Amino acid sequence: MNTARFGWRLPRVFAHRCGGALAPENTLAGLRIAARLGITAVEFDVMLSADGSPWLVHDETLERTTTGVGRVCASSDAQLHELDAGIRRHPAFAGERVPTLAAAAAACRQLGLHANVEIKPAAGCEELTGSVVARQVQQLWAGTEQPLVSSFCEAALQAARAVVPTLTLGCLFERVPTDWRERLRRLGAATLHCDAGLVDDGVIAEARACDIPLLCYTVNDPVLASALFVRGVAAVFSDRIDLIGDDEVAGGCPTKHRSGGSRR
């Protein structure tokens, strides 16, 4: 499969939400853990604050992963800076902050990590989030290998493409729609992403015939990961990077253990 369009080899495994299940999601601690385990690529979510700044948060609200309350898009940069994004995961991570996209980009560059930046717009902020994230990505990764920028939101991807035409884009779906090729063509997207439990062999074969890498989320069982690679899936996003690692030499799925469930 031709991955020259990325400027870097597409890895087989991305650490989901920075460090998967081993760290508070979307934190710099997760990036450090992923790098220590030899993972070469990470995925994280980006949403805008009330000040229009991009921060690493998955949910539209703060309660699940931080000590904050309310909507991310209604919270100022100053408020987000004060939140603890680690204590809810484990006391050992107390004091871990919600990182800005700038902080995450700097950490990725320092640790030698490739990135998949997922645009996660709050309702009503689709185009703005896409354009802000695109400009930030262009600036923060200037002079180095650019990240893959993906989203479930086509409007956000269209806005990103409009302001930075050179971005490498990925289209996210749960189940791949029948018109996926037209959607990717319209956006100039390079990758197709979908739920591992909803992918079928017809889509895999079609993507391979079109030389489009197919990436599946969220794969936490090494046996399932291996089976997906055999079927023709190019890469997986995993919470269990302690069980599933990137094996670029053998082209298989190395397994540090042979057990482990899948958590979506």
Side-chain angles (χ1 to χ4, degrees):
M1 180 173 292
N2 178 20
T3 57
R5 74 194 80 181
F6 300 98
W8 42 277
R9 184 193 67 84
L10 183 67
R12 284 189 167 239
V13 179
F14 287 77
H16 186 228
R17 300 183 193 176
C18 289
L22 306 183
E25 67 180 57
N26 289 317
T27 62
L28 302 187
L31 297 180
R32 292 190 292 269
I33 288 173
R36 283 204 300 270
L37 288 176
I39 297 296
T40 61
V42 294
E43 177 267 353
F44 47 78
D45 308 287
V46 178
M47 188 174 294
L48 300 186
S49 68
D51 296 317
S53 303
W55 293 74
L56 269 63
V57 185
H58 178 274
D59 299 356
E60 287 199 39
T61 55
L62 293 160
E63 288 83 352
R64 183 177 65 85
T65 58
T66 78
T67 52
V69 294
R71 301 183 74 202
V72 177
C73 64
S75 304
S76 68
D77 290 345
Q79 289 172 317
L80 293 175
H81 180 72
E82 295 300 317
L83 300 181
D84 189 320
I87 188 66
R88 296 199 186 281
R89 177 66 180 81
H90 192 278
F93 292 105
E96 187 70 27
R97 299 301 182 189
V98 181
T100 61
L101 178 58
C108 285
R109 296 182 69 161
Q110 180 183 23
L111 295 167
L113 294 168
H114 300 302
N116 176 184
V117 179
E118 182 179 338
I119 303 172
K120 209 76 169 178
C125 300
E126 293 82 3
E127 290 84 1
L128 177 62
T129 307
S131 60
V132 169
V133 171
R135 291 191 181 96
Q136 286 274 308
V137 163
Q138 183 182 46
Q139 294 166 9
L140 294 170
W141 275 271
T144 190
E145 295 169 340
Q146 296 288 298
L148 173 63
V149 177
S150 65
S151 186
F152 284 98
C153 178
E154 191 167 326
L157 291 175
Q158 288 174 333
R161 172 63 76 210
V163 298
V164 184
T166 57
L167 283 180
T168 303
L169 299 182
C171 287
L172 271 161
F173 303 100
E174 289 186 17
R175 185 185 298 276
V176 177
T178 56
D179 64 342
W180 70 267
R181 284 186 296 175
E182 172 57 26
R183 295 192 189 196
L184 266 66
R185 186 203 61 77
R186 188 164 57 243
L187 291 164
T191 59
L192 174 66
H193 306 215
C194 71
D195 187 323
L198 298 175
V199 66
D200 63 64
D201 289 331
V203 168
I204 295 173
E206 189 178 8
R208 285 176 64 85
C210 298
D211 198 26
I212 298 293
L214 177 61
L215 289 66
C216 287
Y217 64 87
T218 303
V219 181
N220 297 328
D221 182 340
V223 175
L224 173 59
S226 184
L228 288 167
F229 295 143
V230 169
R231 291 170 63 192
V233 168
V236 298
F237 299 91
S238 181
D239 292 319
R240 296 307 308 269
I241 55 174
D242 54 330
L243 303 180
I244 303 173
D246 190 13
D247 183 359
E248 62 183 355
V249 176
C253 178
T255 55
K256 298 178 179 69
H257 304 283
R258 296 303 300 177
S259 61
S262 176
R263 181 171 62 83
R264 299 285 288 281

